[in-house]
Amino acid sequence: MAACRRVQLLLLLMSVSLCVYSIQGLKSPSNGVGNGDLLQNLVAPKSVNNNPAAAAASPIRRGTSWKLADEEACREDVTRLCPKKHWPNNLAVLECLQDRKEDTEIGSDCNHLLWNYKLNLTTDPKFESVAGEVCKSTIGEIKECAEEEKGKGYLVSCLVDHRGNISERQCHQYVTKMATIIFSDFRLICGFMDKCREDINTLHCGSISTGEKDLHSQGEVIACLEKALVREAEEKEHAHAIQDGCKKAIMRVAELSADDFHLDRHLYFACRDDRERFCEDTQVGEGRVYKCLFNHKFEEAMSEKCRDALTTRQKLIAQDYKVSYSLAKSCKADLRKYRCNLDSNMPRAREARLSYLLLCLEAAVHRGRTVSGDCQGEMLDYRRMLMEDYSLSPEIVLHCRGEIEAHCSGLHRKGRTLHCLMRVGRGEKGASMDSMCQNALQTLIQSADPGADYRIDRALNEACESVIQTACKHIRNGDPMILSCLMEHLYTEKMVQDCEHRLLELQYFISRDWKLDPILYRKCQSDASRLCHTHGWNETSELMPAGAVFSCLYRHAYRTEEQGRRLSRDCKVEVQRILHQRALDVKLDPDLQKRCMTDLGKWCSDRTETGQELECLQDHLDDLVVDCREVVGNLTELESEDIQIEALLIRACEPVIQTHCHDVADNQIDTGDLMECLVRNKHQREMNDKCTVGVTHFQLIQMKDFRFSYKFKMACKEDVLKLCPNIKKKVDVVVCLSTTVRNDTLQDVKEQRVSLKCRKQLRVEELEMSEDIRLEPELHDSCKNDIKRLCNAVEFGNAQMIECLKEHKKQLSMQCHQKIFKLQETEMMDPELDYQLMRVCKQMIKRFCTESDAKSMLNCLKQNKNSELMDPKCKQMITKRQITQNTDYRLNPVLRKACKADIPKFCQDILRKASEDTELEGQVISCLKLKYVDQRLSSDCEDQIRVILQESALDYRLDPQLQLHCGEEITQLCAEEAAAQEQTGQVEECLKGNLLKIKQETCKKEVLNMLKESKADIFVDPVLHTACALDLKHHCAAIPPGHGRQMSCLLEALEDKRVRLQPECKKRLQDRIDMWTFAAKVAPAEGFSDLARQVLLSPSKNYILFMIALAISMLFLIGLLCGRITKRVTRELKDR
């Protein structure tokens, strides 16, 4: 062992001799010479050759009662500065003069006398024997000290090195007291001068000439070297490279002064007043005063000089944890237990670093190993210290210097600089952060590990204190779940802005290393090792960097059993929790931010509010670069399976979830059920605007890719691959599968090509798409301009926009009109897809149509339209759909099927002129009406036309041709009847009554057609039918309806004087006869069939038929007579 390696400790021990006066119970040795006499002989100052004046001023006395206070050189200073009770005790006098205030001077002769006195203490070989007497039992207990070679001065050095293990009170006091003397002057430390002389001179840290500097300035020399050492570690400009030997000596001195702040002379003098102010009740020893001062370092009352000295001390601790007495002592066993300082491949400098020690011990804690409570307490203190003051981390100072100067100057205290750097790292300061600075920040946060205890981050703790007290008071103080609780309340009313900012700044870095979330690490450690091949907590791997581990975990979190290798349930819950948190801010997803940085700037620079950035990326999915599109697509696909990942959406939808979806929301594993429920209840009264917008946005995003609809994807993925390959967009997939289902149904195939489970989910998707025009992109794009022009004030959703376009159908552009026509055709074939009809008539369907299938729903409603129990709004909606159906036979699937043979047979000319996607304005139906009157239709078609005639006779709006040609006449002649809320055929009756006033030929023709139709069937004339209902029952009950039979019955009854009809019926019948007579004059028969029909329906039918028969008979007789005459003439001519 090299003498000077250990003698730095010797300094402490040498002073032991002075303790004799302060230690009681020391007995005289057997030779009769007392320890006091021996000590006096040891400590009497010797003459120094190079300073005779001083020697003369203090004559050497060898007596046993030699006192410093009696020396002429120091008598005045002792009397002036030291209490009288201390004068008999040399040690007390020495401490008094050493610890005097900085502005109090002592004479140079006294100063030199003290120097010689202390020098004698450290050089007299007899000093070891005194230590042997005082610490006799302790030396026997400490094996290393008992084996030291005697007479070399190593014994005292060993005792100082092990003073933390000294249990004997007198010995411990003795060694501790003497250390104060040695540390008062760096020149007394053996070996220090030899190792640091050159650096002291180079750095101009002070004079090394004996006695030239006073006690205070000598402490400054070591402080100067320590600061130089810190500057070198931070690689500051013009930093001096201190020699390795001196570095070790400096760190050793700092280590030896770790337990008592008196031993750090520079810090002692700088902080003496602050100690009295903040730590008056703190006992000296075991580093307690240091820790107390550290805790008050950023108090406003703390002096700058003390704060600087404390910072230097902390920086030394950051370089070597042993400079902290309490940390080294408390964690000694744990460091040995977990082999935190035995890595032979690691240089000692790195092994001793505070950050390395913290990482090593934190790794043990995170692995579930036991670390003593005292050690964990010390770790907590120093982790908090690292987070409070960025300057304690040389890497931060070195690599983040530019960022600090540009953005974070003047924010040194209470961790504000670090949080400012975090903001720069998040990109909130409008500048990018250097990668080395980013890595330094990440490393520091891993070392401090604030995710394990939010209190480590003082800035966060102070900013979020009120939120924690209100929102997270149910969680134990210091629990890791506090951070998670704060994230759950992000963007809520309970969150305050300052807390929100500090929280997001920290979470940005925690999210980039899955290990920094202690709960996630604990629950998923085994899964990560099994599935992602991760290493230990404080180990890294290029193949699986920390940021990629979470991506690996969530890929396995949503795998099915068939796909295998799934996460454990506990781990999956934690992965879901992290995903919920990351959805709050796109910057909390490292992979997303990295891949989409360019696209965020390109497309989303103006959308930076909460949750808007991800929505923006989803909106521009097709425009994103491949890497960004992939990660956004994967995240959206994940959200479709578990919409609770969208924490903001779930928070906004809380009321409707609690009321309508609580059963599916409580499921631990969501498989798209919650979103389906929200869509189904999107228009409930509990639904607020935020929730509606969020749900609709997600529906719109789902249209971009069928994979974004989890339930649809799982139900139909095989069918899509088989029937619709290479189709990606959901709307196209739905159309493809729907067309396949429709074709298979029309062709009555035995086995549908689309599976049953897919057909069921397809129906759900079709119903959802019918609710909002934006969910049908082709329709929406075709009608964009029409929406702005005609429906600008109408809100999307609830099918309101589609309904508006339907109402303005005649004003639509050709492209939009064609799409709306196709949509109506689909809805009429399958009324369940008519969202507005299903919504408005929901209760009526339950009342009247529970047994009807989806495709016959509208027919069922039409049949019950005039029921007294029918809801007026539903009745109005049914009327709208009837009006739509009557504009074109193609919009009436029942009629189309019933008349499929009749339409081409009788209405071919109309079909030739028609275009595929535009209405025929009721022309085909009008054509079929005329043939109905002629009784030329097939029975099925006739039944359907009869229904249409009966419906349109009650409401003129159901006859598009009548509306088209008689619009002006209705307005002028029948305005009052048209304005009536209930249409009961009054408008038609008005037009019939005003036939003579109608000037427009096309309108007149339509009214005449109505008259003809009423002759064919009394049910087509609701006014007449209502007036004659009792008479029909009494006089024509046995006659079947149709073909004018019941009308003929009534007319015969009218002529029969024996039959008494109801007055109203009689009057109405007479009016009809007059109308028909006038019609016959105005519109003579257009053909024989028309003539025959008019004769048959005429009230004078018998008379007319009699006259026709008479005329035919007369002609027959005339023919017979004329025929005989012509035969005679012909014969006579032949005979000639």
Short mmCIF file of all heavy atoms in Angstrom, two decimals, residues 648-683:
data_model
loop_
_atom_site.label_atom_id
_atom_site.label_comp_id
_atom_site.label_asym_id
_atom_site.label_seq_id
_atom_site.Cartn_x
_atom_site.Cartn_y
_atom_site.Cartn_z
N LEU A 648 -60.28 10.89 -25.46
CA LEU A 648 -61.05 12.13 -25.56
C LEU A 648 -62.47 11.87 -26.03
O LEU A 648 -63.43 12.48 -25.55
CB LEU A 648 -60.34 13.11 -26.52
CG LEU A 648 -59.01 13.68 -26.03
CD1 LEU A 648 -58.37 14.51 -27.11
CD2 LEU A 648 -59.21 14.51 -24.78
N LEU A 649 -62.60 10.95 -26.99
CA LEU A 649 -63.93 10.61 -27.50
C LEU A 649 -64.76 9.94 -26.41
O LEU A 649 -65.94 10.29 -26.20
CB LEU A 649 -63.81 9.69 -28.72
CG LEU A 649 -65.12 9.15 -29.29
CD1 LEU A 649 -66.00 10.28 -29.78
CD2 LEU A 649 -64.85 8.16 -30.42
N ILE A 650 -64.16 9.01 -25.70
CA ILE A 650 -64.88 8.30 -24.64
C ILE A 650 -65.30 9.28 -23.55
O ILE A 650 -66.41 9.20 -23.01
CB ILE A 650 -64.00 7.18 -24.06
CG1 ILE A 650 -63.70 6.14 -25.15
CG2 ILE A 650 -64.67 6.53 -22.87
CD1 ILE A 650 -64.93 5.51 -25.77
N ARG A 651 -64.42 10.22 -23.24
CA ARG A 651 -64.73 11.21 -22.22
C ARG A 651 -65.92 12.07 -22.66
O ARG A 651 -66.82 12.36 -21.88
CB ARG A 651 -63.50 12.08 -21.97
CG ARG A 651 -63.55 12.89 -20.71
CD ARG A 651 -62.25 13.65 -20.54
NE ARG A 651 -61.14 12.75 -20.30
CZ ARG A 651 -59.87 13.09 -20.46
NH1 ARG A 651 -59.55 14.30 -20.88
NH2 ARG A 651 -58.90 12.22 -20.21
N ALA A 652 -65.92 12.47 -23.94
CA ALA A 652 -67.02 13.29 -24.46
C ALA A 652 -68.33 12.52 -24.50
O ALA A 652 -69.41 13.09 -24.34
CB ALA A 652 -66.67 13.81 -25.85
N CYS A 653 -68.24 11.21 -24.69
CA CYS A 653 -69.44 10.38 -24.85
C CYS A 653 -69.89 9.72 -23.55
O CYS A 653 -70.73 8.81 -23.58
CB CYS A 653 -69.18 9.30 -25.91
SG CYS A 653 -68.87 9.95 -27.57
N GLU A 654 -69.31 10.13 -22.43
CA GLU A 654 -69.61 9.49 -21.15
C GLU A 654 -71.11 9.43 -20.84
O GLU A 654 -71.62 8.39 -20.42
CB GLU A 654 -68.86 10.21 -20.03
CG GLU A 654 -68.91 9.50 -18.69
CD GLU A 654 -68.17 8.18 -18.70
OE1 GLU A 654 -67.23 8.02 -19.50
OE2 GLU A 654 -68.56 7.30 -17.92
N PRO A 655 -71.87 10.53 -21.05
CA PRO A 655 -73.30 10.47 -20.72
C PRO A 655 -74.06 9.40 -21.51
O PRO A 655 -74.84 8.64 -20.92
CB PRO A 655 -73.80 11.88 -21.07
CG PRO A 655 -72.59 12.74 -20.98
CD PRO A 655 -71.46 11.90 -21.45
N VAL A 656 -73.84 9.34 -22.80
CA VAL A 656 -74.57 8.37 -23.61
C VAL A 656 -74.08 6.94 -23.35
O VAL A 656 -74.86 5.98 -23.40
CB VAL A 656 -74.46 8.72 -25.11
CG1 VAL A 656 -73.09 8.42 -25.66
CG2 VAL A 656 -75.52 8.00 -25.92
N ILE A 657 -72.79 6.80 -23.01
CA ILE A 657 -72.27 5.47 -22.66
C ILE A 657 -72.93 4.97 -21.39
O ILE A 657 -73.36 3.81 -21.30
CB ILE A 657 -70.74 5.52 -22.52
CG1 ILE A 657 -70.07 5.73 -23.88
CG2 ILE A 657 -70.22 4.23 -21.88
CD1 ILE A 657 -68.57 5.93 -23.81
N GLN A 658 -73.02 5.84 -20.38
CA GLN A 658 -73.62 5.44 -19.11
C GLN A 658 -75.10 5.10 -19.26
O GLN A 658 -75.61 4.19 -18.59
CB GLN A 658 -73.47 6.57 -18.09
CG GLN A 658 -72.03 6.81 -17.65
CD GLN A 658 -71.42 5.59 -16.97
OE1 GLN A 658 -72.09 4.86 -16.25
NE2 GLN A 658 -70.15 5.36 -17.21
N THR A 659 -75.77 5.78 -20.17
CA THR A 659 -77.21 5.56 -20.32
C THR A 659 -77.54 4.40 -21.26
O THR A 659 -78.41 3.59 -20.96
CB THR A 659 -77.87 6.85 -20.87
OG1 THR A 659 -77.51 7.95 -20.03
CG2 THR A 659 -79.39 6.71 -20.89
N HIS A 660 -76.83 4.31 -22.37
CA HIS A 660 -77.22 3.36 -23.41
C HIS A 660 -76.20 2.26 -23.68
O HIS A 660 -76.57 1.24 -24.28
CB HIS A 660 -77.48 4.11 -24.73
CG HIS A 660 -78.56 5.15 -24.63
ND1 HIS A 660 -79.90 4.84 -24.60
CD2 HIS A 660 -78.48 6.51 -24.53
CE1 HIS A 660 -80.61 5.96 -24.51
NE2 HIS A 660 -79.78 6.98 -24.46
N CYS A 661 -74.95 2.46 -23.30
CA CYS A 661 -73.91 1.50 -23.70
C CYS A 661 -73.11 0.96 -22.53
O CYS A 661 -71.99 0.47 -22.71
CB CYS A 661 -72.95 2.16 -24.71
SG CYS A 661 -73.74 2.94 -26.11
N HIS A 662 -73.63 1.09 -21.32
CA HIS A 662 -72.85 0.70 -20.15
C HIS A 662 -72.53 -0.79 -20.15
O HIS A 662 -71.49 -1.22 -19.63
CB HIS A 662 -73.57 1.08 -18.86
CG HIS A 662 -74.93 0.44 -18.73
ND1 HIS A 662 -75.11 -0.80 -18.16
CD2 HIS A 662 -76.16 0.87 -19.12
CE1 HIS A 662 -76.39 -1.11 -18.19
NE2 HIS A 662 -77.06 -0.12 -18.76
N ASP A 663 -73.42 -1.61 -20.75
CA ASP A 663 -73.18 -3.06 -20.73
C ASP A 663 -71.97 -3.44 -21.57
O ASP A 663 -71.19 -4.31 -21.18
CB ASP A 663 -74.42 -3.80 -21.23
CG ASP A 663 -74.92 -3.27 -22.56
OD1 ASP A 663 -74.60 -2.10 -22.89
OD2 ASP A 663 -75.64 -4.00 -23.26
N VAL A 664 -71.78 -2.78 -22.73
CA VAL A 664 -70.62 -3.11 -23.56
C VAL A 664 -69.38 -2.35 -23.11
O VAL A 664 -68.25 -2.80 -23.30
CB VAL A 664 -70.89 -2.82 -25.05
CG1 VAL A 664 -71.95 -3.76 -25.59
CG2 VAL A 664 -71.30 -1.38 -25.27
N ALA A 665 -69.56 -1.18 -22.49
CA ALA A 665 -68.42 -0.38 -22.02
C ALA A 665 -67.71 -1.08 -20.87
O ALA A 665 -66.51 -0.90 -20.67
CB ALA A 665 -68.87 1.01 -21.59
N ASP A 666 -68.44 -1.87 -20.11
CA ASP A 666 -67.86 -2.57 -18.96
C ASP A 666 -67.04 -3.78 -19.36
O ASP A 666 -66.33 -4.36 -18.54
CB ASP A 666 -68.95 -3.00 -17.98
CG ASP A 666 -69.62 -1.79 -17.33
OD1 ASP A 666 -68.99 -0.72 -17.31
OD2 ASP A 666 -70.77 -1.93 -16.86
N ASN A 667 -67.14 -4.20 -20.63
CA ASN A 667 -66.37 -5.35 -21.09
C ASN A 667 -64.89 -5.02 -21.07
O ASN A 667 -64.47 -3.96 -21.55
CB ASN A 667 -66.77 -5.74 -22.52
CG ASN A 667 -68.20 -6.25 -22.60
OD1 ASN A 667 -68.78 -6.66 -21.58
ND2 ASN A 667 -68.78 -6.22 -23.77
N GLN A 668 -64.11 -5.92 -20.51
CA GLN A 668 -62.67 -5.66 -20.42
C GLN A 668 -62.04 -5.66 -21.81
O GLN A 668 -61.11 -4.91 -22.08
CB GLN A 668 -62.00 -6.73 -19.55
CG GLN A 668 -60.56 -6.39 -19.21
CD GLN A 668 -59.99 -7.30 -18.15
OE1 GLN A 668 -60.59 -8.30 -17.81
NE2 GLN A 668 -58.83 -6.97 -17.63
N ILE A 669 -62.59 -6.48 -22.70
CA ILE A 669 -62.07 -6.55 -24.06
C ILE A 669 -63.16 -6.07 -25.01
O ILE A 669 -64.22 -6.69 -25.13
CB ILE A 669 -61.64 -7.99 -24.43
CG1 ILE A 669 -60.55 -8.47 -23.47
CG2 ILE A 669 -61.17 -8.05 -25.87
CD1 ILE A 669 -60.12 -9.90 -23.68
N ASP A 670 -62.92 -4.95 -25.65
CA ASP A 670 -63.87 -4.38 -26.59
C ASP A 670 -63.55 -4.90 -27.99
O ASP A 670 -62.41 -4.92 -28.40
CB ASP A 670 -63.78 -2.85 -26.56
CG ASP A 670 -64.76 -2.21 -27.53
OD1 ASP A 670 -65.78 -2.86 -27.84
OD2 ASP A 670 -64.51 -1.08 -27.95
N THR A 671 -64.56 -5.34 -28.70
CA THR A 671 -64.36 -5.84 -30.06
C THR A 671 -65.23 -5.06 -31.03
O THR A 671 -65.88 -5.62 -31.90
CB THR A 671 -64.67 -7.34 -30.16
OG1 THR A 671 -66.00 -7.57 -29.64
CG2 THR A 671 -63.68 -8.16 -29.38
N GLY A 672 -65.24 -3.75 -30.87
CA GLY A 672 -66.02 -2.90 -31.75
C GLY A 672 -67.45 -2.68 -31.30
O GLY A 672 -68.19 -1.92 -31.94
N ASP A 673 -67.86 -3.32 -30.19
CA ASP A 673 -69.25 -3.21 -29.75
C ASP A 673 -69.58 -1.80 -29.26
O ASP A 673 -70.69 -1.30 -29.48
CB ASP A 673 -69.53 -4.21 -28.61
CG ASP A 673 -69.41 -5.65 -29.09
OD1 ASP A 673 -69.89 -5.92 -30.20
OD2 ASP A 673 -68.84 -6.47 -28.37
N LEU A 674 -68.62 -1.15 -28.58
CA LEU A 674 -68.90 0.16 -28.01
C LEU A 674 -69.13 1.19 -29.11
O LEU A 674 -70.07 1.99 -29.03
CB LEU A 674 -67.74 0.59 -27.11
CG LEU A 674 -67.92 1.94 -26.40
CD1 LEU A 674 -69.22 1.96 -25.60
CD2 LEU A 674 -66.74 2.23 -25.49
N MET A 675 -68.31 1.19 -30.15
CA MET A 675 -68.51 2.14 -31.24
C MET A 675 -69.82 1.87 -31.96
O MET A 675 -70.55 2.79 -32.34
CB MET A 675 -67.33 2.06 -32.22
CG MET A 675 -67.50 2.95 -33.45
SD MET A 675 -67.90 4.68 -33.08
CE MET A 675 -66.36 5.28 -32.48
N GLU A 676 -70.15 0.62 -32.14
CA GLU A 676 -71.42 0.26 -32.78
C GLU A 676 -72.59 0.79 -31.96
O GLU A 676 -73.57 1.30 -32.51
CB GLU A 676 -71.50 -1.25 -32.93
CG GLU A 676 -72.64 -1.71 -33.83
CD GLU A 676 -72.60 -3.20 -34.07
OE1 GLU A 676 -71.85 -3.63 -34.97
OE2 GLU A 676 -73.30 -3.95 -33.35
N CYS A 677 -72.47 0.70 -30.65
CA CYS A 677 -73.53 1.21 -29.77
C CYS A 677 -73.62 2.73 -29.86
O CYS A 677 -74.71 3.29 -29.90
CB CYS A 677 -73.25 0.77 -28.33
SG CYS A 677 -74.42 1.41 -27.13
N LEU A 678 -72.47 3.39 -29.90
CA LEU A 678 -72.47 4.85 -30.00
C LEU A 678 -73.09 5.31 -31.31
O LEU A 678 -73.85 6.29 -31.35
CB LEU A 678 -71.04 5.39 -29.88
CG LEU A 678 -70.40 5.32 -28.49
CD1 LEU A 678 -68.94 5.71 -28.54
CD2 LEU A 678 -71.15 6.19 -27.50
N VAL A 679 -72.79 4.61 -32.38
CA VAL A 679 -73.38 4.96 -33.68
C VAL A 679 -74.90 4.76 -33.64
O VAL A 679 -75.68 5.58 -34.13
CB VAL A 679 -72.75 4.11 -34.80
CG1 VAL A 679 -73.52 4.29 -36.11
CG2 VAL A 679 -71.28 4.47 -34.99
N ARG A 680 -75.30 3.67 -33.02
CA ARG A 680 -76.73 3.35 -32.95
C ARG A 680 -77.49 4.40 -32.15
O ARG A 680 -78.66 4.68 -32.42
CB ARG A 680 -76.89 1.96 -32.35
CG ARG A 680 -78.26 1.36 -32.50
CD ARG A 680 -78.28 -0.13 -32.19
NE ARG A 680 -77.77 -0.43 -30.87
CZ ARG A 680 -76.66 -1.12 -30.64
NH1 ARG A 680 -75.90 -1.55 -31.66
NH2 ARG A 680 -76.25 -1.38 -29.40
N ASN A 681 -76.83 4.98 -31.16
CA ASN A 681 -77.48 5.95 -30.28
C ASN A 681 -76.98 7.37 -30.52
O ASN A 681 -77.03 8.22 -29.63
CB ASN A 681 -77.23 5.56 -28.81
CG ASN A 681 -77.90 4.26 -28.44
OD1 ASN A 681 -79.10 4.22 -28.17
ND2 ASN A 681 -77.12 3.18 -28.44
N LYS A 682 -76.52 7.61 -31.72
CA LYS A 682 -75.88 8.90 -32.03
C LYS A 682 -76.83 10.08 -31.89
O LYS A 682 -76.39 11.21 -31.70
CB LYS A 682 -75.30 8.86 -33.44
CG LYS A 682 -74.31 9.96 -33.71
CD LYS A 682 -73.42 9.66 -34.90
CE LYS A 682 -74.14 9.82 -36.20
NZ LYS A 682 -73.22 9.82 -37.35
N HIS A 683 -78.13 9.81 -31.96
CA HIS A 683 -79.08 10.92 -31.93
C HIS A 683 -79.99 10.89 -30.69
O HIS A 683 -81.08 11.45 -30.70
CB HIS A 683 -79.90 10.93 -33.22
CG HIS A 683 -79.07 11.10 -34.44
ND1 HIS A 683 -78.47 12.29 -34.77
CD2 HIS A 683 -78.67 10.20 -35.38
CE1 HIS A 683 -77.78 12.14 -35.89
NE2 HIS A 683 -77.88 10.89 -36.27
#
